[in-house]
Amino acid sequence: MKLELKTMYFSTFINIVISILKISGGIMLHTFTLTIDGIYTVSDLVTDVIAVFGIRIGRRRANKNHPFGYGRIFYIIELFMGILAFLVGIFVIYLSFRIDYQKPLLSIILLILFTVFLKFISVHKLAKMGHSLKSELLLVSSVESKMEAYSSMALIPVIFLSQIIPKIDMIGGIFIAILLIIQALKMIKLN
C-alpha cells in the first residue's frame, strides 16, 4: 500500500505541475485550447486525489459506525466529481462561443511537448508500479494519463491551424470539453 500511495503522490505532483503550466501558458500565450487542456489535467489531478483518498480511507476496516467498512466513500466522491466535471465541460463549451480568439504564439508547442514528456514519465511510473504491485488503481490511472497525453499532442495541429484561422482554437477547446464530458459520464455511470 505504501508504494501504491507513493506512486499516486508522484502522479499527483506531476499533474499539479502540468496543470499550472498549461493553464498559465494558455492564458499568457493566447490559446483557449491549452487553457482548457489544463482544466482537463485538473480533472486527472482530481482523479488522482480521489484515488489517494480512496486508498487511505477506503481500506479501513469495518467498525461500529461503519459496519460494512469505508470502501463506498470512494464511489460517492467519484460520482460527485463526475457530475462536477460534466458541468465544467458544458460551461467550457458555452464559454468557447463567447471568447474573442487571437492567433496563438507558436512557442506554445514547446510547452505542449514538455507537458506531454512529463505526462509520459508519470504514465511509465504508474504502469510499471501497477504491474509490479498488481494494482488495478495504478493501471487504470496510467491509462487515463496516457489518454490525456495523447489529447495534448492533438493540440499541436490545432495551434498550427490557429495561425491561419484563429477560430480553430475554439474547435480544439470544444474537443477537449467533449473529452472531459465523456470522462465525466464514464465516472457517473461507473458509480
Side-chain angles (χ1 to χ4, degrees):
M1 185 165 105
K2 278 190 171 191
L3 284 175
E4 193 176 33
L5 271 174
K6 282 183 181 181
T7 305
M8 287 309 302
Y9 285 143
F10 176 78
S11 177
T12 301
F13 173 74
I14 292 289
N15 281 328
I16 289 170
V17 170
I18 291 172
S19 59
I20 289 170
L21 288 173
K22 285 180 178 179
I23 292 171
S24 61
I27 291 169
M28 290 188 302
L29 299 172
H30 310 293
T31 174
F32 179 68
T33 302
L34 188 62
T35 305
I36 299 310
D37 197 40
I39 293 171
Y40 186 57
T41 303
V42 170
S43 165
D44 198 27
L45 169 66
V46 167
T47 303
D48 287 350
V49 170
I50 290 170
V52 167
F53 186 70
I55 291 168
R56 296 184 65 98
I57 303 294
R59 292 194 176 157
R60 289 184 183 170
R61 294 179 183 233
N63 60 32
K64 190 168 98 177
N65 293 330
H66 296 89
F68 297 105
Y70 291 82
R72 292 189 182 204
I73 189 95
F74 179 74
Y75 298 111
I76 294 168
I77 292 171
E78 197 163 311
L79 176 64
F80 173 76
M81 294 314 300
I83 293 168
L84 185 62
F86 178 81
L87 294 174
V88 167
I90 297 296
F91 178 72
V92 165
I93 290 173
Y94 165 77
L95 189 63
S96 66
F97 290 101
R98 312 218 17 107
I99 291 178
D100 181 33
Y101 292 95
Q102 303 173 22
K103 185 166 74 169
L105 300 173
L106 282 175
S107 57
I108 200 98
I109 292 172
L110 295 173
L111 180 62
I112 292 170
L113 291 173
F114 180 67
T115 60
V116 167
F117 173 74
L118 288 177
K119 192 55 125 168
F120 276 119
I121 290 173
S122 178
V123 167
H124 176 71
K125 183 164 181 111
L126 286 165
K128 181 179 175 184
M129 293 306 290
H131 287 296
S132 129
L133 299 173
K134 294 181 180 27
S135 168
E136 189 67 31
L137 181 68
L138 294 179
L139 293 172
V140 167
S141 189
S142 75
V143 170
E144 286 178 0
S145 293
K146 188 185 297 185
M147 292 308 296
E148 194 216 326
Y150 290 146
S151 76
S152 293
M153 288 190 306
L155 297 180
I156 294 173
V158 169
I159 299 301
F160 279 123
L161 291 172
S162 294
Q163 297 300 305
I164 302 165
I165 306 168
K167 279 250 185 206
I168 296 288
D169 195 24
M170 177 178 80
I171 295 169
I174 291 172
F175 171 74
I176 292 168
I178 290 170
L179 289 176
L180 183 61
I181 289 170
I182 290 169
Q183 181 180 356
L185 290 173
K186 284 180 185 176
M187 287 171 68
I188 292 168
K189 182 181 177 187
L190 287 173
N191 294 291

